[in-house]
Amino acid sequence: MAKPGYGKRSAPDQRPRTRDDFALLPIRERHVAGFVDHLPDGAAMSVKTLAKQLPLYGQQAISTSLTDLSVAGHLRRVRCPVTGTGDETRWVFRTFWSRTARDNEWWNTYLATEQATVTATPTPKASARDTAPPPPWVPAEEPSSPPLSAPEHPRTEQAPEPTSVPHQRTPDRTPDTEPAPPATAPATAPAPATPHTAGTSPAYLALARLGRDDHRLTLSADDCTTLEPLAAQWLTRGVSTDYLTSALTAGLPAQVDSPVGLLRRRLTDKIPPQLPTAGSPPPDTPTPTHHLLVECTDCGRPGPPQALPDGLCRPCREAHSGSMDRENSPHPTDIADVKAHMNNLRDLLKPV
């Protein structure tokens, strides 16, 4: 079964499964409860999904059965806030199921605990960790390719030993000038990894482009190198190169005699404040605590557990209790039959 929406979560401390777990429930509720009890954790428990799996009952019958099971103390529907990337909060919906019927006090106590919150929140996927092991095996398979070049050496020399091949490569190609570039390649490989080399850093390039945007701020290579550390401090404080350019070019006088002096003064006086990064909140900020909100099993209205006894809001609880009273109240025809029977008895007791 699918796993979105109202995924099943089993409540703790349940009795072992027996054949008489739901013997006191009506036939329809007993059938639905037995099916839900055998679902694995994470299975969808929406009304539409259960109606597809139980062809004997429609969506309205399944919804009524879930309401009755909530009143009987077997399930509670909750929603839990989850904070994603960029402080974006989304809601996940879960259905806590208990084979053992629980009262409102037990549900309120359990849903207020941290264990219920951890159980309701989705677990991170393990696919990212599963993709980590393959990289170490890639270089282990690559050594099989070098033997393809090995036949070139046995043609000139008859040494069949594989260990002698590395020794033959160095003396044969040392007089040649071709192996020299490969030897220097690994030494120069780490150099491009440094993004802030001379003349290639974002701060240097931003200063060099000022003269193209406005001829009054034309700088030489030495001027850009001199001002590069000051511009780099702006970028380390979280501003972009566009913000740096607009701050340096805004409100320029009609004539600039010394572009270096003007830019040095602006880079020093207008440096932006240091802001904390998004991933490191201030130490004084308390850690937000997410509590579960119980949903009305009938209409889906959210609220704290104490405000929804039996998992129902007040209007739905009153409607449910009214329907139960109507079911238990005698039918008008039965009342008429009783009155007629009593009249017959009175007629029989009259003296002749």
Side-chain angles (χ1 to χ4, degrees):
M1 294 182 66
K3 294 187 178 180
Y6 298 106
K8 177 186 175 183
R9 294 294 185 270
S10 298
D13 303 333
Q14 301 186 42
R15 291 196 302 262
R17 185 180 288 112
T18 60
R19 299 180 60 182
D20 302 330
D21 288 332
F22 311 105
L24 301 179
L25 297 175
I27 297 178
R28 184 180 63 187
E29 283 70 19
R30 189 189 315 165
H31 183 70
V32 175
F35 177 79
V36 171
D37 187 51
H38 285 78
L39 290 177
D41 280 1
M45 283 187 59
S46 61
V47 174
K48 292 183 179 180
T49 304
L50 293 179
K52 293 179 181 178
Q53 299 294 324
L54 299 173
L56 295 178
Y57 307 106
Q59 295 184 18
Q60 186 63 34
I62 294 296
S63 178
T64 305
S65 299
L66 293 178
T67 302
D68 295 338
L69 291 175
S70 177
V71 175
H74 290 286
L75 67 87
R76 289 291 187 273
R77 280 183 169 175
V78 301
R79 59 173 64 179
C80 178
V82 177
T83 304
T85 57
D87 295 338
E88 179 183 358
T89 302
R90 60 187 181 91
W91 293 87
V92 293
F93 302 88
R94 299 289 182 259
T95 302
F96 281 96
W97 172 261
S98 175
R99 187 184 312 112
T100 306
R102 307 290 188 180
D103 55 6
N104 293 323
E105 184 179 0
W106 188 93
W107 279 114
N108 295 342
T109 304
Y110 171 68
L111 294 178
T113 59
E114 190 70 20
Q115 179 184 359
T117 305
V118 174
T119 306
T121 53
T123 56
K125 297 181 180 180
S127 59
R129 287 179 288 180
D130 297 338
T131 56
W137 292 96
V138 175
E141 297 176 357
E142 291 179 355
S144 59
S145 57
L148 299 176
S149 59
E152 299 177 359
H153 300 284
R155 294 177 183 177
T156 55
E157 299 183 5
Q158 298 179 355
E161 298 180 0
T163 55
S164 60
V165 175
H167 299 286
Q168 294 175 358
R169 290 177 181 176
T170 51
D172 293 344
R173 296 185 179 181
T174 44
D176 300 338
T177 57
E178 298 177 357
T184 57
T188 57
T194 58
H196 299 290
T197 55
T200 59
S201 66
Y204 184 93
L205 296 177
L207 294 172
R209 293 192 185 99
L210 291 178
R212 298 183 180 181
D213 298 339
D214 195 326
H215 66 280
R216 291 173 293 180
L217 298 179
T218 303
L219 299 175
S220 64
D222 294 339
D223 296 338
C224 294
T225 304
T226 304
L227 299 177
E228 181 182 1
L230 297 177
Q233 294 181 7
W234 284 55
L235 301 182
T236 55
R237 301 198 174 198
V239 302
S240 61
T241 54
D242 294 337
Y243 180 87
L244 174 63
T245 303
S246 62
L248 296 179
T249 56
L252 290 176
Q255 181 178 356
V256 179
D257 297 331
S258 177
V260 181
L262 176 65
L263 294 177
R264 182 185 294 108
R265 183 64 181 270
R266 290 196 170 190
L267 289 172
T268 304
D269 296 345
K270 294 186 176 184
I271 187 169
Q274 182 71 39
L275 298 178
T277 58
S280 59
D284 298 337
T285 304
T287 303
T289 57
H290 300 299
H291 298 287
L292 298 179
L293 290 178
V294 180
E295 274 193 354
C296 177
T297 310
D298 193 4
C299 67
R301 181 178 301 175
Q306 297 79 7
L308 282 82
D310 297 334
L312 299 176
C313 61
R314 180 180 298 178
C316 295
R317 187 167 61 255
E318 292 177 355
H320 185 269
S321 61
S323 63
M324 295 297 294
D325 294 341
R326 288 191 298 269
E327 291 177 0
N328 297 330
S329 61
H331 198 267
T333 56
D334 297 336
I335 297 176
D337 294 340
V338 172
K339 288 182 178 181
H341 182 66
M342 293 300 295
N343 291 332
N344 293 333
L345 291 177
R346 291 190 186 98
D347 294 340
L348 294 174
L349 293 176
K350 289 181 180 179
V352 179

